[in-house]
Amino acid sequence: FIVLSGFLGLGILGTRIEQYTLTLRLTYWSAGWLMGVDNLPFGVGFDNYGDYFQKFRPDGAILVTGADLTTNNAHNPFLQTFATVGIFGVIPLIIIFIYTIYLAINLIFSRKNELGEKSISIVFVSIWAMTFFSIDNIAVALINWTFLGLVIGFAVPKVVEESSELAQNFKQKRISNSGLGTAQTHRLVGSLLSILLLILSWTASWPNR
């Protein structure tokens, strides 16, 4: 915590290890949060973060960044989505992210999984950790959502296979009724969610296209 605070220019290490780009990100995040809160429930709209940035940035930021600094992105996909499309955009984003993190952790620490599945899960956790500080342009978003979909694709069938006898019976019933196994259904749902959220992240930061 002390080191992180120092990177942001705070605390006892602030004067020694401050990173100017991280200080800027605090301004971007704060502006994005205030945009979303002040424009509930739908946000400021697609393609509008940059138009509202100077209005919602903290007053003290001018002393650090100057009055003319502007940006088109909050450098955080969650805050960018909240600012531009509101709670109806950010809630599904948070839900699918938390669910996939849960699946990834299970893949990483389970003794039954192969090295490839563990490696993909570790990459997913790593690149999504970086998204909290990164602009979500298409080059970054494609990689993020690809690995998110891969984790779901690997993990969900294993969850189904290791489930209780009741779940197995339910699986057989679903197969007989629909012709699709539960694992296949989850793969389809995971793929569709990944596509949906990729589109959401794309449009939320439209100026970067």
Side-chain angles (χ1 to χ4, degrees):
F1 177 77
I2 294 176
V3 174
L4 179 59
S5 299
F7 285 144
L8 298 175
L10 305 173
I12 59 176
L13 298 178
T15 58
R16 295 178 178 272
I17 63 173
E18 179 181 4
Q19 298 294 313
Y20 177 67
T21 56
L22 288 181
T23 303
L24 289 181
R25 279 162 173 74
L26 281 180
T27 301
Y28 304 157
W29 299 342
S30 177
W33 171 256
L34 293 175
M35 280 183 214
V37 170
D38 198 59
N39 292 275
L40 290 172
F42 300 113
V44 297
F46 292 128
D47 198 10
N48 288 335
Y49 179 92
D51 295 333
Y52 285 83
F53 171 73
Q54 291 188 344
K55 175 181 177 181
F56 285 98
R57 67 184 174 186
D59 293 337
I62 297 176
L63 300 176
V64 178
T65 64
D68 297 328
L69 178 73
T70 188
T71 179
N72 289 324
N73 195 280
H75 289 68
N76 180 297
F78 302 96
L79 288 172
Q80 175 72 14
T81 302
F82 179 55
T84 55
V85 295
I87 58 175
F88 296 109
V90 75
I91 288 176
L93 178 62
I94 291 173
I95 290 174
I96 191 62
F97 170 70
I98 293 175
Y99 177 61
T100 312
I101 283 289
Y102 165 76
L103 295 177
I105 291 174
N106 283 342
L107 286 175
I108 292 171
F109 291 102
S110 174
R111 296 181 179 180
K112 299 180 180 180
N113 298 319
E114 299 178 359
L115 178 60
E117 296 170 352
K118 293 179 182 290
S119 300
I120 287 174
S121 299
I122 291 171
V123 172
F124 162 75
V125 173
S126 300
I127 62 176
W128 273 86
M130 290 188 288
T131 65
F132 283 88
F133 303 88
S134 174
I135 189 170
D136 53 338
N137 61 33
I138 191 60
V140 175
L142 276 174
I143 297 174
N144 294 346
W145 295 116
T146 297
F147 276 92
L148 183 144
L150 286 171
V151 169
I152 294 176
F154 280 124
V156 171
K158 293 180 179 296
V159 172
V160 173
E161 292 170 3
E162 297 172 359
S163 61
S164 64
E165 182 178 356
L166 178 62
Q168 293 295 338
N169 293 335
F170 179 74
K171 176 182 177 181
Q172 294 300 324
K173 182 178 180 181
R174 288 290 299 275
I175 293 174
S176 61
N177 290 339
S178 65
L180 286 174
T182 305
Q184 288 80 0
T185 303
H186 277 82
R187 287 193 185 99
L188 177 61
V189 172
S191 299
L192 292 175
L193 283 173
S194 296
I195 294 171
L196 173 63
L197 292 170
L198 170 60
I199 294 172
L200 184 63
S201 66
W202 177 302
T203 53
S205 54
W206 188 259
N208 298 293
R209 302 299 149 260

